[in-house]
Structure formats: C-alpha cells, structure tokens
Amino acid sequence: MGKGAATKAAILEEALAIASQTGFETLSIGQLADAVGMSKSGLYAHFRDKEDLQLQVLHRATELFGNTVVESVREMPPGAARLKALMEGWLRWTKLQEMPGGCIFMSAAHEYQHRPGPVRDALVASQERWISYLTYQVQQAIDVGELSPTVDAEQFAYDFYALALAYEHFSGLLGDHQAEDRARAALDRLLESIQPVN
C-alpha cells in the first residue's frame, strides 16, 4: 500500500469511528479534518464532498464486515455450525475497536430509513447482499440435511437478522450484559425447532 493509500485508509478508519458514535449525517469534512489533523483542502483531495465521504465510509464498513463475519466461516462446511459461526462473527463485529459506537449499519438504518438518496441506496444494497448471503447459507444447511426440508430459508434469514437487531438493542441501548448469551440461546432454540425429522 502506497503512502497516499495508507493515508486515506487511516482517514477512513477515523471517519468510521466518528460515524459509529455520532452518525453519518453529523460526519463532516471539517469535523474529520480536526480529528486527523489535516486541512479541509487536504481532505478534499480524497473526498469530493460530504456525501462522497459518507459513501466511502459505508463502503469501508461493508469491507470490514465481510472480513470480520463472512471470511471467518469461508473454510467451514455448510450447516448449522456455520450459521452459529456467522452469529458469532456478527457479535464480534458489533464490538470492533474500529467502531466504538457499535454497529454502523444499525445506526445508519435509523438515520436513512426515510431519507432517500445515494447513501440510503448504498446501505440498502449492502444489507440486501447480507440477507441474500444468509438465505443462501440456510438453503445450503437444508440441502446437506442439517435443517428440515420444510424450512423457509428466507424466513430463517429474517429471524436470524431479527436476533442480531435485538442483541444490538439490548446490549447497546439497555446495557444488558447477558445480551450475547441471550442471542446465542435464541439461535440455538431456533435451530433446534427446525431439525430434520429422523
């Protein structure tokens, strides 16, 4: 990685940390310039405007999510253990030091749920890819006989996603120190309920 690329990567890491704590809409070129000790003009060499900054931060977050969650199960065979490992990856993701404020996708979802534009479009696309990936993993678990053939893969992906949202709410907002264990227990019960009948 060249010096320019390394500098930009460091800037994006700082921007990601800020956005995870205060949100995307409050993230600005001026705020970021102060945080990284650069001039605004120096940052404009990397980002066209505030929206470009937001989009690049979201892209970086998507890459980081892939590295933290998806890559962690790449070598595992399909099945229930892989689904559990994806949940573990998601739990790790919410506690990364790069995001001291928690999952950036969750905070962005609240900000952009009713705010049309390129940032919302990028956020929706990233979450749709993740849900499609989850659905595919569930279908693979069905195909290898670890889940009942009657399972609705899309419904399971919905339930899995809902568990992660609940974990975020109970852990972050409510400060429930048992939230992680509750998320694991909920997934175990969900998986147990859809085991194939022998």
Side-chain angles (χ1 to χ4, degrees), residues 15-28 31 101 107 111:
L16 180 61
I18 293 171
S20 79
Q21 296 176 86
T22 63
F24 273 86
E25 279 303 299
T26 60
L27 179 64
S28 68
Q31 178 189 31
S107 58
E111 288 186 86

Side-chain angles (χ1 to χ4, degrees), residues 64-113:
L64 190 59
F65 183 87
N67 293 338
T68 305
V69 182
V70 177
E71 289 297 326
S72 69
V73 304
R74 189 171 295 279
E75 301 303 319
M76 293 183 67
R82 194 173 196 180
L83 294 170
K84 288 185 178 184
L86 284 172
M87 177 61 78
E88 291 300 322
W90 200 334
L91 295 175
R92 281 195 309 276
W93 154 258
T94 63
K95 296 178 290 186
L96 290 181
Q97 64 178 9
E98 291 91 340
M99 296 184 305
C103 179
I104 198 165
F105 298 126
M106 298 302 127
S107 58
H110 290 294
E111 288 186 86
Y112 293 100
Q113 184 172 359

Side-chain angles (χ1 to χ4, degrees), residues 17 43 57 66 93 99 104-105 117 120 134 140 146 148 173 186:
L43 283 185
V57 170
W93 154 258
M99 296 184 305
I104 198 165
F105 298 126
R120 183 185 188 280
L134 276 177
Q140 282 203 313
E146 292 205 8
S148 168
L173 180 64

Side-chain angles (χ1 to χ4, degrees), residues 1 16 20 31 35 45 49 63 69-70 80 95 103 106 109 138 155 158 175 177-179 184 187 190:
M1 182 183 292
L16 180 61
S20 79
Q31 178 189 31
D49 51 29
E63 287 182 334
V69 182
V70 177
K95 296 178 290 186
C103 179
M106 298 302 127
V138 177
Q155 181 63 49
Y158 179 98
H177 299 297
Q178 293 182 299
R184 292 187 183 103
L187 180 60
L190 179 60

Side-chain angles (χ1 to χ4, degrees), residues 4 8 10 30 36 41 44 50 54 64 71 73 87 93 97 116 129 133 136 152 155 166 180-182 184-185 198:
K8 185 170 184 177
V36 299
S41 59
Y44 278 118
K50 177 178 176 177
Q54 293 168 327
L64 190 59
E71 289 297 326
V73 304
M87 177 61 78
W93 154 258
Q97 64 178 9
R129 286 193 301 272
Y133 175 82
Y136 174 72
D152 182 333
Q155 181 63 49
E180 245 184 67
D181 291 336
R182 294 185 195 282
R184 292 187 183 103
N198 294 326

